[in-house]
Amino acid sequence: MSELQTEIQKRRTFAIISHPDAGKTTLTEKLLLYGGAIHLAGSIKSRKTQRHAVSDWMEIEKQRGISVTSSVLQFDYAGCRINILDTPGHQDFSEDTYRTLMAVDSAVMIIDVAKGVEAQTKKLFKVCKQRHIPIFTFVNKLDRFGKAPLELMEEIEDVLGIRSYPMNWPIGTDGHYKGIYHRETEKVELFSEDTSHGQEERESVIFDLKDPKAKEIIGDTDYQALLDDIDLLDVAGEQWSMDKVNKGELTPMFFGSAMTNFGVRGFLEEYLRLAPAPQPRMSSDGLISPDDENFSGFIFKIQANMNPAHHDRLSFIRICSGKFERGMSVYHMQGGKAVKLSQPQQFLAQDRQIIDTAYPGDIVGLFDPGIFGIGDTLCMPSHKFKFADFPVFPPERFARVSAKDTMKRKQFVKGIMQLTQEGAVQLFQQAGAGMESYIVGTVGQLQFDVLEYRLKSEYNTEIVMNMQPFEVARWLRFKDNRPVTPESLRGADRGMFVHDMKDRPVLLVNNEWALGWIQDNNPDLEMFPVPPEKQDAEDDMK
């Protein structure tokens, strides 16, 4: 096997998805703890420690105890190189999460044992299913009262439409689980008391269920309940099928508690054994295999000011094929020219290091002087192609934003432009309104809060924000390709006529009814929920 193929087989690149507060960032921390990447886990919102999660680097995340950016974390464990993408859980950041899911080979779905399948989990699961990404389920918070394991299995099937196969099974009663049974090895793992509040690895004892002393150690009632449950799963449960897992039709299910390190190591080891190595990617030139010797990758995330002292801008690339080498020259398809990739970095949250090589599945941060965009393809000049275009989420909320202090207009424009390039917001300009203010579009309200916070903390600019009544944006194009102007459009005064940052005409209106009226009165007008080029690219790739 070649060096390239050997390195590819070591890689596991996955995202963790869940509803807010299901324990996503906590589980990420514990995987780092077991991977030896950190020695003391800082629990999110914990009263017993003032440490913050290492995967939450932005100040607003530390204050609110939520993730609002996708962190990129890398560590080694058991001969594997693991790339974790910790995504925002809050629904207002679903676009950032969607982009992240374009860059992974599998996903870990966390479900709160008490709350079951929640709204945001459903949305993110749907994206995974559309892309046929293998999904591994971790039922979290077993240290609290919650739903019965069988009830959760039923709920996952009813709500998400996917069958589950429990890889382990909790031993004990609701909220007082003492261990787990590993179905494949038929071994029982009982955990010691958690005395470090989840900051250190948890001790456990492992023995065979057939051990004559097993009944005595587990206790009569719990032992019998475990035998009954195993019997039920073996007879009436789903059959194991790796093929179905790889197609996203069956989810391996694990039970544990990230907060108390209950079952985390077992989950990590089983996940690494079962999860796929880097997979081929669709492009304008067909499927690109990871072991293709020609280097290729795509930008899925841009982040300004990860180091506020330097006002740097990093673009994160998912390597898809070939070997990445520091200082190599590649072709930037969207920019139409060769670029040199110097100072490539890999991450453990804010801690970063310059690297010399990387392989398919790895995520690398590139210093970006402002030339890259989200979804851009980098490849070798000898083999030019584009990876499948990223979907765009239509904005649903709008506000007029301007600098409070006109003397700081320069910082305001720089900040809002950089955050737009990151994909944090979408930016529009009203025809004839000048440069004093912009119309900002977002998917949700929290994005406005983050915009305001980041402009103040990173660019020293306070803003005035006036919410607008519009809820629908449509990009416009006449069928004969003549220019779309307010004068050429009947009913333009029923909304706000704006241009996006690529000068494409867009109409913002209050509701679908207004759209219908404009369509009826402009029969040769085409309207798109995303820029027409994005829509056309999506149609071409299908």
Side-chain angles (χ1 to χ4, degrees):
M1 199 184 281
S2 71
E3 178 203 21
L4 179 60
Q5 288 170 321
T6 303
E7 292 294 337
I8 290 168
Q9 290 308 312
K10 287 183 187 174
R11 264 60 185 177
R12 300 290 184 273
T13 304
F14 66 98
I16 301 183
I17 61 172
S18 77
H19 195 83
D21 213 30
K24 180 165 50 60
T25 307
T26 309
L27 180 63
T28 306
E29 287 273 297
K30 298 315 169 71
L31 295 179
L32 295 175
L33 177 71
Y34 280 95
I38 56 174
H39 301 292
L40 199 66
S43 119
I44 326 307
K45 301 186 191 168
S46 169
R47 295 196 182 99
K48 295 182 175 69
T49 171
Q50 289 305 301
R51 291 170 55 79
H52 291 290
V54 294
S55 57
D56 287 344
W57 61 270
M58 197 187 289
E59 197 59 40
I60 193 169
E61 297 182 305
K62 294 170 185 173
Q63 289 172 5
R64 296 193 182 205
I66 57 167
S67 300
V68 297
T69 58
S70 304
S71 297
V72 180
L73 307 161
Q74 187 183 64
F75 66 97
D76 294 323
Y77 185 83
C80 288
R81 171 63 56 92
I82 300 157
N83 293 282
I84 303 181
L85 284 82
D86 176 25
T87 61
H90 200 284
Q91 62 183 24
D92 289 5
F93 297 93
S94 45
E95 188 166 5
D96 197 18
T97 302
Y98 201 119
R99 289 192 289 258
T100 299
L101 290 173
M102 299 287 281
V104 300
D105 302 298
S106 58
V108 172
M109 175 172 70
I110 303 182
I111 289 178
D112 185 318
V113 70
K115 296 175 183 172
V117 180
E118 298 175 85
Q120 184 64 1
T121 317
K122 277 191 267 188
K123 271 190 182 179
L124 298 172
F125 174 83
K126 189 178 171 192
V127 174
C128 293
K129 196 148 190 193
Q130 282 170 346
R131 293 199 53 233
H132 304 289
I133 298 176
I135 297 163
F136 295 76
T137 300
F138 185 81
V139 177
N140 194 22
K141 303 189 181 180
L142 240 65
D143 52 312
R144 304 181 187 180
F145 288 99
K147 299 182 180 183
L150 288 168
E151 187 186 344
L152 283 166
M153 286 176 67
E154 197 176 319
E155 190 174 325
I156 286 171
E157 187 175 345
D158 291 347
V159 178
L160 299 179
I162 187 171
R163 303 297 291 266
S164 56
Y165 183 93
M167 303 299 291
N168 62 27
W169 198 253
I171 302 167
T173 52
D174 190 7
H176 294 287
Y177 294 105
K178 57 180 79 166
I180 44 181
Y181 168 72
H182 299 275
R183 288 182 72 191
E184 189 178 11
T185 60
E186 297 186 353
K187 290 194 181 297
V188 169
E189 183 174 9
L190 295 184
F191 294 97
S192 62
E193 284 296 310
D194 173 36
T195 55
S196 72
H197 306 297
Q199 291 192 327
E200 294 169 5
E201 293 187 38
R202 191 160 171 180
E203 298 293 321
S204 64
V205 291
I206 298 174
F207 54 89
D208 201 302
L209 184 61
K210 296 186 177 76
D211 189 309
K213 293 183 180 176
K215 186 174 183 178
E216 183 186 328
I217 301 168
I218 297 171
D220 287 5
T221 308
D222 290 339
Y223 180 80
Q224 191 55 50
L226 177 62
L227 292 183
D228 293 344
D229 286 343
I230 293 167
D231 193 40
L232 183 63
L233 291 174
D234 290 346
V235 173
E238 191 71 16
Q239 293 295 305
W240 174 254
S241 165
M242 200 64 230
D243 185 50
K244 285 187 178 180
V245 172
N246 288 332
K247 288 178 182 171
E249 295 170 3
L250 180 71
T251 177
M253 191 175 189
F254 300 82
F255 293 88
S257 167
M259 185 63 81
T260 62
N261 296 336
F262 184 106
V264 175
R265 181 192 287 279
F267 162 70
L268 174 60
E269 290 174 355
E270 279 294 280
Y271 167 78
L272 295 178
R273 185 173 71 85
L274 298 171
Q279 298 295 295
R281 300 270 152 180
M282 183 52 73
S283 77
S284 56
D285 207 19
L287 277 176
I288 302 296
S289 175
D291 59 6
D292 187 320
E293 294 290 337
N294 287 307
F295 168 83
S296 69
F298 59 83
I299 306 289
F300 71 94
K301 173 182 169 64
I302 295 172
Q303 188 71 58
N305 306 317
M306 280 191 82
N307 184 341
H310 296 109
H311 284 292
D312 59 349
R313 171 182 150 124
L314 288 171
S315 290
F316 291 87
I317 180 173
R318 151 77 194 224
I319 299 172
C320 299
S321 67
K323 181 180 179 180
F324 173 94
E325 294 184 283
R326 178 181 173 184
M328 72 190 300
S329 282
V330 299
Y331 193 77
H332 177 209
M333 287 298 292
Q334 281 74 2
K337 61 181 180 183
V339 292
K340 190 174 180 180
L341 305 181
S342 56
Q343 290 187 285
Q345 304 183 16
Q346 283 178 332
F347 294 84
L348 180 60
Q350 280 169 301
D351 301 327
R352 38 171 129 165
Q353 60 186 51
I354 300 287
I355 56 147
D356 293 315
T357 57
Y359 295 88
D362 285 340
I363 308 296
V364 175
L366 303 171
F367 272 105
D368 179 6
I371 58 172
F372 297 131
I374 287 168
D376 285 7
T377 296
L378 299 176
C379 54
M380 300 309 289
S382 57
H383 184 202
K384 295 177 183 174
F385 61 87
K386 284 183 181 177
F387 283 110
D389 213 354
F390 277 32
V392 175
F393 280 40
E396 296 172 10
R397 292 167 185 252
F398 302 89
R400 184 183 294 282
V401 176
S402 57
K404 189 179 267 188
D405 181 352
T406 53
M407 300 293 285
K408 292 190 174 176
R409 209 189 135 272
K410 194 174 175 184
Q411 294 104 299
F412 165 71
V413 171
K414 181 186 178 185
I416 208 158
M417 287 296 180
Q418 282 199 336
L419 297 181
T420 302
Q421 287 164 342
E422 275 187 25
V425 295
Q426 293 184 48
L427 206 57
F428 305 94
Q429 211 151 15
Q430 191 175 3
M435 299 284 284
E436 278 66 51
S437 68
Y438 292 98
I439 301 296
V440 171
T442 70
V443 177
Q445 181 60 41
L446 189 55
Q447 283 170 287
F448 288 120
D449 298 346
V450 171
L451 173 71
E452 187 170 14
Y453 175 86
R454 291 189 64 188
L455 284 172
K456 186 175 179 180
S457 66
E458 295 170 23
Y459 299 93
N460 195 25
T461 306
E462 293 195 39
I463 57 172
V464 177
M465 196 179 322
N466 293 309
M467 298 305 296
Q468 302 294 303
F470 314 114
E471 292 179 4
V472 184
R474 287 293 182 269
W475 276 257
L476 309 173
R477 184 169 72 184
F478 280 124
K479 288 174 183 171
D480 61 5
N481 283 328
R482 71 182 189 274
V484 181
T485 63
E487 296 73 35
S488 66
L489 200 63
R490 289 197 65 199
D493 56 347
R494 288 176 173 252
M496 181 186 284
F497 193 92
V498 296
H499 287 93
D500 68 10
M501 287 299 97
K502 292 194 175 174
D503 210 31
R504 296 173 290 216
V506 182
L507 191 66
L508 312 181
V509 294
N510 290 44
N511 49 43
E512 297 283 345
W513 186 88
L515 275 187
W517 190 94
I518 290 164
Q519 185 71 80
D520 292 345
N521 285 274
N522 299 273
D524 58 342
L525 180 72
E526 293 179 298
M527 294 197 280
F528 302 87
V530 296
E533 294 85 347
K534 287 278 186 186
Q535 187 74 56
D536 295 345
E538 222 167 281
D539 294 341
D540 290 346
M541 286 288 183
K542 282 178 183 171

